[in-house]
Amino acid sequence: MAFVAELIVALMLVVAGIFGLVGSFGLVKLPDAMTRLHAPTKATTVGVGGVLIASMLHSLMFGAGLSFHELMITLFLFLTAPITAHFIAKAQLHRHVSQHETSKPVGDAHWAGYQPVPEVSDAPKTP
């Protein structure tokens, strides 16, 4: 039974390492910021989550019992990585894409973050 548990933990660590390697390779090799954003947020998050779950399983099977620290770290990582990626993508979009280059939304609505800029008149105001 111990051999099977060790095999499962080792397999999870190897798979997590492969995901981490693919995420790191994508971060270095992908051409621009928007495509590079996917590598660390998806593959590396799964890789780190796999290591944490393997650690939790090892603690459960060979240690003092179930450790909730790794579970809480995994949940925090899985909750915060997509939000961080969303904010980085939105900042990239606002810095490098003008409103006229985006597609037109349906109806009279505007894309979130792209509010119409009021026109400034050069004419002097009369009292």
Side-chain angles (χ1 to χ4, degrees):
M1 182 66 185
F3 175 73
V4 174
E6 288 177 352
L7 188 66
I8 291 171
V9 169
L11 186 65
M12 288 195 70
L13 287 174
V14 168
V15 170
I18 290 171
F19 271 102
L21 182 66
V22 168
S24 300
F25 186 74
L27 181 65
V28 172
K29 287 295 183 180
L30 288 175
D32 60 2
M34 293 299 273
T35 55
R36 240 180 288 148
L37 185 62
H38 290 282
T41 57
K42 307 238 178 348
T44 309
T45 300
V46 172
V48 172
V51 169
L52 290 170
I53 291 172
S55 173
M56 192 170 60
L57 285 175
H58 186 271
S59 174
L60 177 67
M61 294 178 184
F62 302 107
L66 185 62
S67 172
F68 286 103
H69 294 107
E70 289 90 352
L71 181 64
M72 296 305 289
I73 293 170
T74 303
L75 289 176
F76 179 77
L77 184 69
F78 285 161
L79 287 176
T80 58
I83 295 170
T84 305
H86 174 75
F87 283 125
I88 292 172
K90 197 153 201 152
Q92 171 72 15
L93 185 70
H94 281 269
R95 291 192 62 171
H96 299 286
V97 178
S98 72
Q99 183 179 2
H100 302 293
E101 295 175 25
T102 60
S103 60
K104 182 102 175 124
V106 178
D108 293 334
H110 300 282
W111 291 115
Y114 282 118
Q115 299 299 323
V117 177
E119 294 187 23
V120 177
S121 172
D122 291 337
K125 294 181 181 178
T126 57

